[in-house]
Every structure is written in C-alpha cells, then in structure tokens.
Amino acid sequence: MTTVLGRPAAPPAPPAPAPRPRGGGGRARRWTLRGAALLAFVALWQLLTVHRVRLWVRFDHLPTADQVGRALVRQVATGQYWQDLAESLRRIGGGFLLAALLGVATGVLLARSRTAADLLGPVLELVRPIPAIALVPVAIMLFPENEQGIVFITFAAAYFPVTVATRHAVRAVPPRWEEAVRTMGAGRARVLWSVVLPGALPGVVGGLSVGIGVAWICVISAEMISGQFGVGYRTWQAYTVLDYPGVFVGMATIGLLGRLTSGAVELLGRRLTRWLPPTPGSD
C-alpha cells in the first residue's frame, strides 16, 4: 500500500454499482414472441383444417379457425354470452374463495398440530384421491339446488391442492426462524403471523395457482352435467346440436378465463412476496 506524507493512503473507493436494466426491451421481445407463437398456432390450425389433413388425427372433422372466429364475433354480440360468462365467474369465485380460506386454515392446522393431523389427516387423505367431478351425485343429494351443488364441486376441486400445498409449505419453514423469534419473547400467535405464514407464503401461492386451474376444470364439467347457465353448459349445448364452431368458442372462452384468473392469483402472489428475489420467467 502506498503512503502519503508517512501515512497509509486511503484505499480507492469501490466503483459505483451499474444501474440495473429496466428490462422493458426484453419484456417487449417476450410478448412479441408469445404473440407470434399464438399466431403460428392459429395459422397451422387454419392450414390443417382447410386442406382437411388426415394423419393420426382427422383434422377434416374440425371447424376452421376463421369459422370459429366468425362464431365468436356473433356470440360476443349477444347478451347470452356475457350472462354465461358472469355465471361461470360467480361460481368459480365463490367456490375458490371458500376453498382458499378453508384450505389455508386446514393446511396450517395440520402442519402445526399433531392432534389435528391425527384427527383430520386420515379423513382428508381418504377423500382427497376422489375426483371432484365424481362428487356430482353427492352434490345432487346434499343440496336442493343445482347452483349450490356446482359451487360445492368447485370448492372441493380447489380445497385439496390448497390444503396440501399449505401443509408442506408450513412444514418447510426452517425451525431456526421460529427459535430466533421465540428468544425475543414472541408467543405462538406472533410466531405464526410474523414467521410461519410469511415463510410459507410462496408455497401457499403455488397451491392457490394449482387450485384455480383444477377448479375451472371441475366447474365446467359440473355445468355440462347439471348446469342451466354458464360457459360449460353452453359449450355442451352447442355440441348436442352439432354446432362445432360454437364448441370451439366455448373452449377458447374457458381457456381465456382460466388464464386471466390464474394470472390474477399469480399477480397477487407476486405482490404479497415482493421481498423475495425475482425469478427467471416471472414477467
């Protein structure tokens, strides 16, 4: 180290950190790539159906992309389309919200209490493998109205993924985090709200994201079986009258609704876990 007037010279100042890239250009490229992928999919669909290609599957039986587009424009202009949309969203909202609240509470209880795990665990593990759509006869017997039964099936579909994910997430919280807080005099309630739930939150959000997807599968199936309104009911009705473009309109609507709702859950999860470092592909 060099000296100045007999004293050690001060070490050189560290270089200023480079500004983090905003990522606007990368995000735009990603959205452009996603849009191009969707357009390529539609173009391939149009090409295979127009030329009535028959390989291992028979594309000659499917409607073309432009036929589905025209059917979508016609349906969007009707009030019935939006009524069905609202009915399906109301059912999924009620069932999923109830499943999220009870599923998180049950998962925390199972992970934190041995007594609860011994009492509730065997029953839940016995019922969990049963597909929610198989509960349609039970829902018909339990509830006097179809509407209540559909919400129940939606709840059952989302409840178990949320419960299992929460239980595993809570158990995965490092014990030393709790010990550190307990040494400062925190009680069980403070440990739960300040350490356990924040630490388990990423896993809980993952369970909610899975749960909303499974809930859509089952609510559409329930609407096809016993519904009077809804996207699933309208899609099945289109199939019974051989309106194949209408069937694909229903399928596209279901896919869009599922993507929007799962995206909303993931966005909420990112807002709640802003303290975590960003992960690749999280845009």
Side-chain angles (χ1 to χ4, degrees):
M1 177 181 296
T2 60
T3 61
V4 178
L5 298 179
R7 293 188 304 177
R20 295 182 61 183
R22 295 183 180 271
R27 187 176 294 110
R29 285 193 296 271
R30 293 189 61 192
W31 281 106
T32 301
L33 184 61
R34 294 174 183 179
L38 287 175
L39 289 176
F41 171 76
V42 174
L44 179 62
W45 175 10
Q46 178 74 7
L47 183 66
L48 292 174
T49 52
V50 166
H51 293 282
R52 309 179 69 82
V53 176
R54 301 188 64 169
L55 298 173
W56 293 279
V57 292
R58 300 176 299 178
F59 293 98
D60 55 332
H61 286 187
L62 299 181
T64 62
D66 61 330
Q67 289 175 336
V68 175
R70 290 194 296 269
L72 176 61
V73 171
R74 288 195 302 269
Q75 291 196 26
V76 167
T78 64
Q80 185 181 74
Y81 178 86
W82 298 105
Q83 180 184 7
D84 291 332
L85 207 74
E87 288 292 331
S88 294
L89 286 173
R90 184 175 59 81
R91 290 162 177 166
I92 201 76
F96 178 73
L97 180 60
L98 186 60
L101 295 175
L102 294 182
V104 171
T106 306
V108 172
L109 191 62
L110 292 174
R112 303 287 294 178
S113 171
R114 292 183 178 179
T115 302
D118 292 337
L119 291 176
L120 299 178
V123 177
L124 293 177
E125 291 301 320
L126 181 65
V127 179
R128 183 167 66 93
I130 302 175
I133 196 62
L135 298 176
V136 169
V138 178
I140 294 174
M141 291 184 287
L142 283 177
F143 300 98
E145 298 180 3
N146 289 343
E147 190 66 28
Q148 298 170 346
I150 293 174
V151 173
F152 167 75
I153 293 169
T154 307
F155 158 78
Y159 172 75
F160 291 104
V162 175
T163 299
V164 172
T166 302
R167 181 184 64 185
H168 288 303
V170 171
R171 288 178 177 174
V173 175
R176 62 180 179 272
W177 292 5
E178 297 185 43
E179 295 169 1
V181 177
R182 289 185 187 277
T183 58
M184 295 184 288
R188 295 186 63 181
R190 179 65 181 274
V191 170
L192 178 64
W193 287 104
S194 301
V195 177
V196 175
L197 291 180
L201 194 55
V204 174
V205 172
L208 292 173
S209 182
V210 174
I212 190 70
V214 179
W216 269 114
I217 295 173
C218 290
V219 73
I220 294 300
S221 301
E223 287 178 348
M224 289 182 174
I225 295 173
S226 59
Q228 296 178 346
F229 297 99
V231 179
Y233 169 78
R234 202 64 58 190
T235 302
W236 181 254
Q237 188 183 55
Y239 174 75
T240 58
V241 297
L242 304 181
D243 179 15
Y244 297 132
V247 172
F248 277 80
V249 168
M251 293 168 59
T253 303
I254 294 166
L256 181 60
L257 290 175
R259 182 65 189 94
L260 291 176
T261 51
S262 63
V265 171
E266 293 169 3
L267 178 61
L268 177 62
R270 287 197 296 269
R271 294 291 178 86
L272 295 176
T273 57
R274 285 178 293 184
W275 46 273
L276 289 175
T279 57
S282 59
D283 292 341

